[in-house]
Amino acid sequence: MGNSALRAHVETAQKTGVFQLKDRGLTEFPSELQKLTSNLRTIDLSNNKIESLPTLLIGKFTLLKSLSLNNNKLTVLPDELCNLKKLETLSLNNNHLRELPSTFGQLSALKTLSLSGNQLGALPPQLCSLRHLDVVDLSKNQIRSIPDIVGELQVIELNLNQNQISQISVKISCCPRLKVLRLEENCLELSMLPQSILSDSQICLLAVEGNLFEIKKLRELEGYDKYMERFTATKKKFA
C-alpha cells in the first residue's frame, strides 16, 4: 500500500488511539507506528502476512490495551511483547506459533487470550501466572494432554476444542474460577475424563461432543446430577 495511505492511517490513529489496517498484504509491522508508542490503545493488523514483530518497537506501546494479529504468519513472539503491562486483549488466531515466550506471565493485565489455529503442542504453563485472565481460546492446536499445572489457572472459560487431547489431569477440578470448559472433538475416552469435573468443581458448562464416547454414557456417571444442578442454576441466572 502507498505511503500516503499509511500516513493518513497514522494521522487518524494519532487522534483516536486506534490503528487498524486489515487485509492489506502487509509483510511487516509498520515502523511508522513508532511515532505513536505513547498514544495507541488499540492495534489491529489482522489478515496480513506479517512474519515477526519488531523487538525494539513492540514493547514500547505503554498504553496498549488491545492487540490483534489474527491470520498472519507469526512463528514466534518476542520477549519484549511481555512489556505491555496494560494489555487486556491479545488475539493471535491462525498463526504458526508453537510456544509462548517464557516471560509471557508478565502480561499482568491480560483478560482475554485467543490462540486458536496455531501449532501449540502443550498447555502453556505461563498462563498460570496471569491472575486476571478470564477467557482463553486454545482450540485447533495440537495439545495432547492437560497437565497438573492446569489447577493453577484462574480463567473462567477455557476452550480446548479440536485438539488431540487424550488425558486430563484431575487437578482441572481445582481451578477456582473455571465455569466453562470446552473439549469438543478431541481424543478422549470416557474413562479419561476426571469424574471430579462433574462432582467436585465449579464447572457449569462442560462441552465434550465429538470424543470417543457417547454423551448418554456421560449422563450415567456418578456426579452428573451435581453437574446438572450447577448447569441449571447458571442457566436460570442468565435466562
Side-chain angles (χ1 to χ4, degrees), residues 41 61-67 81-90 103-113 126-127 129-136 154 177:
R41 286 178 175 78
F61 295 96
T62 46
L63 296 179
L64 198 65
K65 287 195 164 189
S66 174
L67 177 60
L81 177 73
C82 307
N83 295 336
L84 301 175
K85 301 298 185 217
K86 299 220 165 155
L87 194 67
E88 294 179 2
T89 303
L90 179 58
T103 50
F104 199 81
Q106 293 173 15
L107 289 171
S108 50
L110 200 62
K111 292 180 180 175
T112 304
L113 174 62
Q126 301 92 315
L127 302 187
S129 312
L130 298 168
R131 307 329 266 168
H132 299 288
L133 199 55
D134 292 333
V135 178
V136 175
Q154 296 293 316
R177 300 201 303 152

Side-chain angles (χ1 to χ4, degrees), residues 10-29:
V10 169
E11 281 170 23
T12 305
Q14 218 152 4
K15 297 169 193 150
T16 61
V18 177
F19 185 83
Q20 191 176 60
L21 208 53
K22 304 196 289 189
D23 301 294
R24 296 302 177 100
L26 296 178
T27 53
E28 50 189 43
F29 192 93

Side-chain angles (χ1 to χ4, degrees), residues 97-158:
L97 299 169
R98 293 176 182 275
E99 58 184 6
L100 299 181
S102 58
T103 50
F104 199 81
Q106 293 173 15
L107 289 171
S108 50
L110 200 62
K111 292 180 180 175
T112 304
L113 174 62
S114 302
L115 287 162
S116 178
N118 278 281
Q119 295 167 21
L120 299 171
L123 181 83
Q126 301 92 315
L127 302 187
C128 298
S129 312
L130 298 168
R131 307 329 266 168
H132 299 288
L133 199 55
D134 292 333
V135 178
V136 175
D137 186 354
L138 296 170
S139 61
K140 299 181 184 174
N141 276 281
Q142 296 161 18
I143 300 168
R144 294 173 181 275
S145 65
I146 303 301
D148 288 351
I149 197 167
V150 71
E152 296 173 33
L153 267 183
Q154 296 293 316
V155 298
I156 296 169
E157 178 169 344
L158 179 59

Side-chain angles (χ1 to χ4, degrees), residues 2-13:
N3 273 350
S4 55
L6 186 53
R7 256 202 314 275
H9 276 279
V10 169
E11 281 170 23
T12 305

Side-chain angles (χ1 to χ4, degrees), residues 53-69:
L53 298 178
T55 51
L56 295 175
L57 177 57
I58 195 65
K60 292 183 177 171
F61 295 96
T62 46
L63 296 179
L64 198 65
K65 287 195 164 189
S66 174
L67 177 60
S68 296
L69 286 151

